[in-house]
Each structure stands twice: as C-alpha cells, then as structure tokens.
Amino acid sequence: MKPTPLIAGNWKMNFLPSEAVRWLESFVEQLELVPHQHADILLNAPFTHLLPLAELAEGTPVRIGAQDVSPHQAGAYTGEVSGPMLKDVGATFVIVGHSERRAYHAEDDTLVNAKIIAARTESLVPILCVGESEAQREAGEALPVVLGQLEADLQGVSLRSSGELVIAYEPVWAIGTGKTASADDAQEMCAAIRSALKRLFPRLADDMRVLYGGSMNPENAGELLSKPDVNGGLIGGASLKIDSLLAIIEAAA
Ligand code: 13P
C-alpha cells in the first residue's frame, strides 16, 4: 500500500510573521471545506514564523516545519538555530540539504549528513532534498548524482520507523523555473531512490515517503502524485497561494 501522501509547502523566505498567521487562519478555515483527510499537510516556514504558526496549527490537520537546522545542539554559533530550539517552538519536520542552501551557502554532503543526524537526535523528521542540475541531467549523470547524495547524506543514520525520514527528489533545473520533470521521469528517479533506501533501511523503505519537488502546481500535481513511488510534493511557489495549495491537496486523493 502507498504511504499517506505528504503535501509539504516550502515557503522559503516569504511572508512576514504577521502575514503568515493571517494566511494560516484563512487556510485552516478553507481546508475544512475540501477533502483533505487522505493527505498529511505540512508548512515549512522561516524560523521567525514557527512559534506563532505552531501555536495556531495545534488541533488542526496542519503541521509546521523549519527549513534548516544547525548541526550543533547549542553554543557559540552566531546566527544558527538548533534542533532543540525547533522542537521547543513546535516544529516537527525540517528541510535539510535544499539545493538553494547547497548552492548559496556552500552546504556539502558532510554538513547535510551532520544536520540529518542533529535533526534525528531531537526526533525531528528531516526532509532530505536531493537532485541533479541541468548540466548533470544533460550529461546523463542524474541517477549517480542523486544516489551519491543520498548515500553520503544518510551515512550513519539509523531509523526505527518509516515515518522518521522523508526524501524529496528536487531536480535543480525544475525549481522555480516553471519546468517540471515529466511524471515518468519523476517516477523513475523516485523508484531508484526507493531501491537505494531498501539497501539502507530494508524493512522500512516500502513505507517511506519519497516526494517530488520542482514547479509542482495544481495542473501537474494529479499526474505526478498518481505515480506509485511519488508519495507527495515539496512545493515552493504554489504553496504561497491558498487556492493552489488546496488544489494540490485535492489532487493527492
Ligand atoms: P517551486 O515549487 O517554486 O519550484 O520550488 C520547489 C522547491 O524548491 C521546494 O523545496
């Protein structure tokens, strides 16, 4: 049986905290009017938004996550935010290794691996992002690049249950570009990711969630989410609009 789809917004650096609170109030009201019980719903917000959003989301179907975590637990790391801090304000998930952080903040697989372990230490669920660049895909290297990231990023990670880790396949060339991987290409890569997960976590991989991310929108979500190894979406631009996110949730049914 397919795992329950996870529809996860990645708000990136958008909305003021006060705007985010109004957005969530309105979203929760409108969510009640559409079928949504078939999916888990998550919003990954900037650090400054987490506390008010998590308080507001309590008792609703919406869960709140962060977009990054320090590999350290506490100490002299100016500007960093730790796993214990995220947990304390009510975040339950955290995006790790997003391609924007790999590109603009020089995050390599060693750091991403340390962040995954830091998140797990606090029982946060990491959403590990992997994906190839356009040049890598054109050179026929997409598969080894993605599987190489996966293996390096998950070194020494042990899991007790399938819900403790989520993988997001996010081809870099599809992020924020309006270009989407075809549903067949997304399926092929997500299936390859699951095969690799079977080697790492033999008992759990069938039930682990592998998401697709990259210009997912209400028009293409239904086809992408219908694929057997695509268990949800990590959604940037379209998660900022209530109508679009609700339409993607409906498409996951
Ligand atoms: P877009 O949906 O805006 O392409 O962003 C995808 C993404 O980076 C999600 O993490």
Side-chain angles (χ1 to χ4, degrees):
M1 216 177 69
K2 269 183 94 167
T4 303
L6 176 64
I7 302 300
N10 174 8
W11 278 358
K12 308 192 179 185
M13 198 173 73
N14 288 293
F15 293 142
L16 300 174
S18 55
E19 292 169 334
V21 164
R22 284 196 295 276
W23 190 102
L24 183 57
E25 281 167 350
S26 175
F27 179 74
V28 167
E29 270 176 35
Q30 295 183 53
L31 185 63
E32 294 308 321
L33 308 176
V34 301
H36 62 270
Q37 284 83 359
H38 54 273
D40 289 336
I41 302 164
L42 170 69
L43 295 171
N44 294 93
F47 293 133
T48 45
H49 306 28
L50 294 175
L51 181 60
L53 290 179
E55 284 178 352
L56 192 58
E58 222 175 291
T60 80
V62 181
R63 282 182 273 178
I64 301 298
Q67 299 172 12
D68 188 26
V69 63
S70 169
H72 307 288
Q73 283 213 310
Y77 302 103
T78 301
E80 292 279 271
V81 175
S82 71
M85 293 174 186
L86 297 181
K87 204 171 157 187
D88 194 62
V89 294
T92 48
F93 287 72
V94 58
I95 295 173
V96 177
H98 192 279
S99 61
E100 286 152 16
R101 294 210 62 84
R102 293 182 193 254
Y104 308 145
H105 301 274
E107 291 198 6
D108 62 11
D109 288 318
T110 306
L111 179 56
V112 171
N113 177 246
K115 290 184 173 193
I116 297 274
I117 289 169
R120 284 306 312 140
T121 303
E122 296 311 315
S123 306
L124 294 162
V125 179
I127 302 177
L128 168 62
C129 299
V130 291
E132 81 286 358
S133 68
E134 187 150 39
Q136 288 165 331
R137 176 156 282 263
E138 278 167 7
E141 292 166 1
L143 202 62
V145 165
V146 167
L147 298 184
Q149 287 175 334
L150 198 68
E151 192 166 322
D153 298 344
L154 293 177
Q155 285 235 343
V157 173
S158 58
L159 302 177
R160 286 179 308 275
S161 72
S162 55
E164 292 178 347
L165 174 70
V166 175
I167 310 296
Y169 168 53
E170 297 212 309
V172 177
W173 48 270
I175 294 178
T177 57
K179 288 193 228 169
T180 318
S182 71
D184 287 339
D185 284 348
Q187 161 60 23
E188 188 184 1
M189 189 62 86
C190 291
I193 289 172
R194 193 177 311 282
S195 296
L197 290 173
K198 278 187 185 159
R199 288 193 291 280
L200 295 167
F201 312 109
R203 286 183 310 103
L204 305 178
D206 279 337
D207 298 322
M208 289 176 69
R209 293 193 277 204
V210 182
L211 315 183
Y212 168 79
S215 298
M216 188 181 272
N217 61 41
E219 286 70 50
N220 60 31
E223 197 186 353
L224 286 160
L225 296 170
S226 72
K227 294 292 173 185
D229 287 292
V230 179
N231 313 126
L234 186 56
I235 303 139
S239 76
L240 298 170
K241 297 184 212 96
I242 290 177
D243 288 355
S244 306
L245 191 58
L246 290 174
I248 293 172
I249 291 166
E250 287 195 74

